Amino acid sequence: MLTIGALLFCVQDASARETLLISGNADLYPIESYDSRSDSYVGLLPELYRRVSECTDYDLVYLPYSKNTTQAQQAENRQADIISAFPAGTVDSAYLRRSELFCSLPVSGKPQNICIGFASALPEAQAEEIARALDDIGAAERLGILAVSVKDGGASLYRTRWLVTLAALGVMMLGAGVALGVLMRKKRAELKANALIDPRYGIGNDGYYLNCMETRIPAPLRSIVYVICIGCDMPSLERRFGETEREEIFSRAAEYLRLGCGREEYLACVGRGMFALVCQCGSREAAQQHAEGLIRGLDGYLAGFRAEYAGAFRAGICSLSENPDCGAEAALYNARQGCALAFRTETPCAFSTRGMIDESEQLERLRGSMSKAVEKGEFEPYLQFVVDRTGTVVGAEAVSRWQNPEEGLLKPSKYIDLMIRAGTITELDLYMLRCACVQLQTWKREGRGTLWLSCNFTRQSIADEKILARVREIVEQYDFTRDRLVVELTEDSYAHDREAALRTIEGLHAMGLRIVLDDIGAGYSSLSDLSTYPIDGVKIDRSIVIESALPRARALLEGMIRLSHDMGIRVLCEGVEDKATCDAVLAAGCDFIQGFYFSRVLPGREAESFLRSLAARDREEG
């Protein structure tokens, strides 16, 4: 079990009650003390725990008292499910998931907060239930229990001191500030819990996966922990079944995995149609058998709805024992690469390879440095020019490159997904927006004001409620014709708030900016976006453009262009790298072309040289 290194035992009796162990602290009389005559703990906390046992399904039982084993040592060795009262700062918080503020008492002559801690391996639901039960015991009732403890404790040495403390405790616990603090704490806990749930499937999200990997796996158990990524071939599913049916497949897969998830396993949705399962297996062979069993079972389950659904998913596996320094992000990356390998080799599952691990280690290094990279100015704008049907340059797309001090010049494929997961992508999007505004202002002053320039915004950024105001603040600092700035909505699967995205896009449109939907025909884009958002243009994904020589692919391309034109939307085909492809997209009716056939992705100075050479050629021809 994943929690075996932290739980001493967990026994259920015939009435399904579960025993949770408590580590007592005999030095906190009369909150908690050890009575040698009755061989038990007495005081306020033991009585509170007894009452919690009565109103929950848990039997809270103290560990046997030992003068040679301190409460802090028991916490460090993970020998108890619940850690009882302790002065704040005396137990390393690394061993606790949370601590509940109880009261302020004099320790060594100084007032100090006393906390109730919960071991980090205790499941969140159990900790929350016990905390609620403790909170439900009223302040007046606690005072009564404490008074009885002082009266019956028989320790006159402590009595006067703790009677004074009793009055202070009553004032604090009866105060409106404590009540408000409890309410706010509960609210924060609810919001935190909800933030880790994927509302579409009722399972954890990518934040939940990271939380589990970072807080719920004790170091001694990493050697038997595996991350299994269960994923699908997204473009293939969409082409075969369409978006609506594809979503149904995802929901069915999530349902199957959720119902089959064991108590010691953690399941999360880490992307559209991509699931991560953190589990424990005794060996590499056992992990492979588990993954293969999952895929076979999932195939059979999906085939029960439609035979063609079988084979939609594969699994990739990352062993933490084989990658002892592997973090949560790297482990998921490795498992995803194993999943991709399984698709290529047409096997149910595959382990990540050494090359994948080397790449994941690079990602870990990048993750550590990317938070300050934008602030340090390590990203550079590059341009790729766009032509119209006559071959005339009419605009460009601004894309980023990361000039990393250790890794060198990196393309977006190396860091965009990483920044999306880390939540830092919005800062990069805004930085590139500012670069685009600077370039448009420069072009206007140089007499090239008819050129337009696009910059990418992920849907995560677009769904940010503050993004519109920040965009407006940047744009208003520069002088250029507003419709020369184009916002491209790129593909990512982390923005679920379509209403917030719609408000932002409508606001950008009202500012005079143009909106383009990127990668239509692949990834997570939806044709319904064309009617939902005020779109001015679309970019057809290069995978469709490259295959346009094939009859069915050409028919698809022509149909998408025709549909867009019928809706008053202009079309750009990207990925055009040779004359044959150029002729094919022109014949299909596209309005603009982007690709190496006309322009490579150029750094700033080379882009300016490219424009000057075009101007010189036009003068010679004129």
Side-chain angles (χ1 to χ4, degrees), residues 148-422:
V148 171
S149 299
V150 173
K151 180 179 179 181
D152 297 337
S156 59
L157 178 65
Y158 293 99
R159 194 163 297 167
T160 302
R161 182 181 67 182
W162 290 104
L163 284 174
V164 175
T165 302
L166 177 62
L169 176 63
V171 172
M172 185 183 70
M173 296 191 68
L174 291 173
V178 172
L180 180 60
V182 170
L183 180 63
M184 293 179 65
R185 185 174 65 248
K186 287 183 176 180
K187 187 64 177 178
R188 286 196 298 268
E190 290 175 3
L191 292 174
K192 182 179 179 180
N194 290 337
L196 299 179
I197 298 298
D198 189 311
R200 298 166 301 174
Y201 309 130
I203 60 177
N205 56 19
D206 53 327
Y208 173 79
Y209 163 77
L210 294 176
N211 179 266
C212 292
M213 289 287 287
E214 293 168 358
T215 67
R216 300 194 180 187
I217 302 178
L221 295 183
R222 285 180 60 89
S223 62
I224 54 175
V225 171
Y226 294 80
V227 176
I228 300 177
C229 178
I230 301 101
C232 65
D233 183 348
M234 183 71 67
S236 175
L237 279 187
E238 186 159 300
R239 285 195 296 269
R240 291 172 61 191
F241 304 115
E243 183 203 359
T244 301
E245 199 167 351
R246 179 200 66 189
E247 288 297 323
E248 181 181 351
I249 296 172
F250 296 164
S251 297
R252 300 291 188 188
E255 179 182 39
Y256 174 82
L257 295 172
R258 176 176 58 83
L259 293 175
C261 186
R263 285 188 58 188
E264 300 83 18
E265 297 179 340
Y266 303 108
L267 175 67
C269 177
V270 292
R272 193 68 63 86
M274 186 75 68
F275 307 96
L277 181 70
V278 183
C279 62
Q280 176 182 339
C281 297
S283 65
R284 180 185 176 95
E285 292 73 21
Q288 181 171 344
Q289 291 174 6
H290 187 27
E292 290 176 347
L294 281 174
I295 296 303
R296 284 196 300 269
L298 183 56
D299 282 346
Y301 182 75
L302 294 177
F305 298 97
R306 183 173 172 180
E308 291 85 349
Y309 292 168
F313 287 85
R314 297 284 191 275
I317 312 169
C318 174
S319 167
L320 298 192
S321 66
E322 297 175 7
N323 307 279
D325 299 323
C326 194
E329 287 281 0
L332 180 58
Y333 178 85
N334 290 346
R336 291 177 67 176
Q337 296 305 305
C339 184
L341 178 61
F343 272 105
R344 290 195 300 270
T345 57
E346 297 185 352
T347 55
C349 65
F351 279 85
S352 54
T353 65
R354 181 67 248 178
M356 298 173 189
I357 295 171
D358 291 341
E359 190 170 355
S360 72
E361 291 173 350
Q362 182 191 43
L363 290 181
E364 284 292 293
R365 294 193 297 270
L366 294 179
R367 186 164 68 125
S369 60
M370 71 184 177
S371 60
K372 298 292 184 181
V374 175
E375 182 181 323
K376 293 178 179 179
E378 295 178 4
F379 289 93
E380 300 177 6
Y382 277 52
L383 302 183
Q384 184 176 31
F385 289 97
V386 176
V387 302
D388 62 12
R389 292 182 61 83
T390 68
T392 301
V393 172
V394 293
E397 177 185 3
V399 295
S400 64
R401 294 291 187 270
W402 184 1
Q403 187 62 57
N404 184 278
E406 288 77 30
E407 306 292 338
L409 189 66
L410 302 175
K411 294 183 178 180
S413 59
K414 286 287 187 181
Y415 56 83
I416 292 296
D417 284 347
L418 204 61
M419 297 185 78
I420 289 173
R421 290 185 179 279

Side-chain angles (χ1 to χ4, degrees), residues 478-497:
Y478 300 93
D479 177 29
F480 61 88
T481 305
R482 294 296 181 254
D483 67 358
R484 300 294 87 188
L485 178 59
V486 179
V487 174
E488 287 191 26
L489 306 184
T490 64
E491 287 305 356
D492 63 87
S493 61
Y494 295 90
H496 306 308
D497 193 342

